[in-house]
Amino acid sequence: MKILVLGSGGREHALAWKLSLSPRAPEVVCAPGNGGIVREFPCVDISGGLGSPEGVEEAVRLAREMGADLTLVGPEAPLALGIADRFQAEGLTLFGPTRDAARMESSKCFAKEFLERHEIPTSAYRSFDDPNEARKFVEKLRLPVVIKADGLAEGKGTVIARDRNDALAAVDAILVQRRFGDAGQRLIVEDFLTGTEMSLLVLTDGETYLPLETARDYKAIRDGNQGPNTGGMGAYSPLHSLEDPTLGEVQDKIVGPTLTGLREEGIKFRGLLYFGLILTSEGPQVLEFNVRFGDPEIQPIVMRLRTDLVELVEAVATGRLEGATVEWDPRPAICVVAASGGYPGHYQTGFAISGLEAAQATREGDIKVFYAGVRSGKPGPDGKPELLTAGGRVLGVTTLGSDLPGARRAAYQALEKIRFERMIYRKDIGA
């Protein structure tokens, strides 16, 4: 069996790793992958990048030429461009929703309007494309307030403004300066909700669904959830077990109505639907949707997953999910992201990474370092190319433990052995 994993980050490394452990012993190829992933799996470049129409066409060609039995899409951009539609037209099997279904993530405005139409709990909001109207509205609001670019912004298009000037600056950054490009053609302003955030990832073939174990993600760059939002600085799983009454309420009030609403609107969602939730005193509410595996949430989740991931994603992609079950390692897992200093703003790259072997040796079998923003450098003393930083989020150190404090200690002990210039990470993941 041949599987093609599309993407280049820690999420794709984690998925490729878990897929490769299948009893079916698949041949896993990543495109484009990165300098760390290529140490474990063959990687093929995608000229133009997956976020371009040319990249989508090249992925179709690659899947056909390698005879891929299954293709799994990691990032959101190719899904928003309609890669699933292209694969379907070519008779190729792909795990991921169509362009129409991907609007649940590619447009915050569409998602909010969908939630409103189907009376699914979420915060009050207004959408704007005129900066002057948005400024007038923000001037009158009680703070804090949440301002989001409508389109895809790699997790960085959300601002929690606790100060009026910050709120006005966010409006200008999105609609006037167009800091997020076409993603900032519109924005939404929504009420700030208080509570505990929770990620729930749900597999669905359009008819039935299967929830995965929960996780908690940390978006802010600094300890105590301070500073600007990032793509995610760490996560742990589980937050609540699937047997917890909270999850029953989430499925009754949010998951079920969402999937029913999609069917009623003629949208066949086949893939992974990520529910970004907040558990408030008034009950669970939806913060956002993603239409692919969360990064870094998927890293602790796959560490705990005992069921064959190949069987699960193949069942979704071919419409055979009914009756499927999932088995979990009861131990909690945690992922702490090591990032480049300056991220999510300007940062330098090209710094040598050391200590990876020592880090992974601290907990044999219970630790895995997933590679995100890395590239290959010159050959080292052992003949292998050295690893250099090449992105904002560089590594995801992921560990299992008998309890969450134990998993947390193991992750931070491993991180202490890793070095690269200007390395930063949060010290409070799972605290």
Side-chain angles (χ1 to χ4, degrees):
M1 182 182 196
K2 295 182 178 179
I3 301 176
L4 175 61
V5 176
L6 297 175
S8 61
R11 164 182 49 221
E12 288 73 34
H13 187 191
L15 291 169
W17 171 75
K18 196 65 182 182
L19 291 165
S20 73
L21 300 179
S22 169
R24 295 165 67 177
E27 176 188 340
V28 179
V29 175
C30 296
N34 63 46
I37 295 175
V38 75
R39 292 184 167 197
E40 298 179 35
F41 304 100
C43 292
V44 181
D45 191 30
I46 296 284
S47 57
L50 285 169
S52 69
E54 296 77 16
V56 167
E57 292 305 314
E58 192 162 344
V60 172
R61 178 188 58 77
L62 175 60
R64 189 189 306 115
E65 289 182 355
M66 68 175 275
D69 299 290
L70 175 67
T71 298
L72 190 150
V73 184
E76 61 273 25
L79 294 169
L81 287 170
I83 192 170
D85 307 76
R86 285 291 297 117
F87 268 65
Q88 190 176 47
E90 295 289 330
L92 298 166
T93 303
L94 178 137
F95 177 91
T98 62
R99 180 174 185 166
D100 193 30
R103 287 183 297 165
M104 295 292 278
E105 177 172 3
S106 64
S107 173
K108 301 282 193 305
C109 295
F110 174 83
K112 276 290 194 180
E113 291 161 3
F114 176 93
L115 290 165
E116 191 172 50
R117 282 195 299 275
H118 296 281
E119 299 180 343
I120 297 168
T122 189
S123 58
Y125 78 101
R126 286 275 301 276
S127 62
F128 299 91
D129 56 14
D130 184 317
N132 291 322
E133 291 301 314
R135 289 189 198 103
K136 290 177 186 175
F137 183 69
V138 166
E139 287 277 16
K140 299 182 292 185
L141 288 180
R142 185 176 63 183
L143 298 174
V145 67
V146 182
I147 300 173
K148 298 178 179 177
D150 175 52
L152 300 177
E154 298 180 340
K156 304 167 195 170
T158 298
V159 175
I160 300 172
R162 302 177 189 280
D163 173 271
R164 192 80 57 195
N165 290 333
D166 289 344
L168 294 170
V171 170
D172 285 347
I174 295 170
L175 292 180
V176 180
Q177 300 168 26
R178 299 299 290 275
R179 191 171 296 169
F180 304 106
D182 290 343
Q185 293 183 16
R186 297 171 73 191
L187 62 73
I188 63 170
V189 182
E190 62 183 13
D191 289 350
F192 176 79
L193 299 176
T194 58
T196 301
E197 292 190 33
M198 181 176 75
S199 302
L200 179 65
L201 283 61
V202 173
L203 296 169
T204 178
D205 61 3
E207 298 299 328
T208 189
Y209 74 89
L210 186 65
L212 302 182
E213 282 273 19
T214 63
R216 184 184 175 192
D217 179 27
Y218 293 74
K219 289 289 188 190
I221 186 67
R222 292 194 291 273
D223 291 0
N225 294 322
Q226 300 299 306
N229 269 13
T230 71
M233 291 299 293
Y236 68 86
S237 172
L239 177 61
H240 291 289
S241 74
L242 293 176
E243 289 73 35
D244 192 291
T246 301
L247 267 294
E249 186 179 7
V250 167
Q251 293 185 65
D252 290 344
K253 295 183 177 179
I254 294 175
V255 178
T258 297
L259 298 176
T260 298
L262 287 166
R263 287 193 295 271
E264 288 175 352
E265 297 192 14
I267 300 173
K268 191 173 185 66
F269 195 106
R270 189 173 273 185
L272 189 289
L273 187 56
Y274 170 120
F275 293 79
L277 307 168
I278 185 163
L279 309 178
T280 74
S281 58
E282 298 177 355
Q285 300 200 43
V286 177
L287 293 174
E288 64 175 355
F289 292 110
N290 291 334
V291 297
R292 36 72 196 185
F293 292 101
D295 187 358
E297 295 97 320
I298 194 57
Q299 298 176 36
I301 286 174
V302 296
M303 286 289 280
R304 299 186 58 231
L305 180 64
R306 286 179 171 168
T307 301
D308 182 359
L309 183 59
V310 172
E311 295 290 340
L312 289 174
V313 297
E314 194 174 51
V316 169
T318 56
R320 298 182 290 104
L321 188 61
E322 187 174 4
T325 58
V326 185
E327 183 183 355
W328 297 96
D329 190 319
R331 294 174 296 170
I334 188 168
C335 173
V336 183
V337 171
S340 297
Y343 174 75
H346 176 73
Y347 54 86
Q348 294 178 300
T349 61
F351 300 120
I353 305 168
S354 64
L356 292 167
E357 290 78 10
Q360 297 206 116
T362 56
R363 286 282 292 272
E364 191 66 36
D366 287 344
I367 181 169
K368 180 71 176 173
V369 177
F370 294 111
Y371 300 113
V374 302
R375 63 179 175 86
S376 299
K378 298 179 295 184
D382 60 357
K384 293 181 181 178
E386 64 179 348
L387 289 183
L388 306 176
T389 64
R393 293 186 296 170
V394 179
L395 306 167
V397 177
T398 309
T399 58
L400 283 163
S402 57
D403 54 21
L404 186 58
R408 193 170 176 275
R409 282 193 300 273
Y412 283 107
Q413 286 168 5
L415 268 166
E416 289 173 1
K417 301 180 185 299
I418 297 172
R419 295 282 186 274
F420 58 84
E421 194 170 332
R422 302 198 68 201
M423 181 173 86
I424 60 170
Y425 54 90
R426 282 185 58 160
K427 312 296 192 301
D428 64 345
I429 306 301

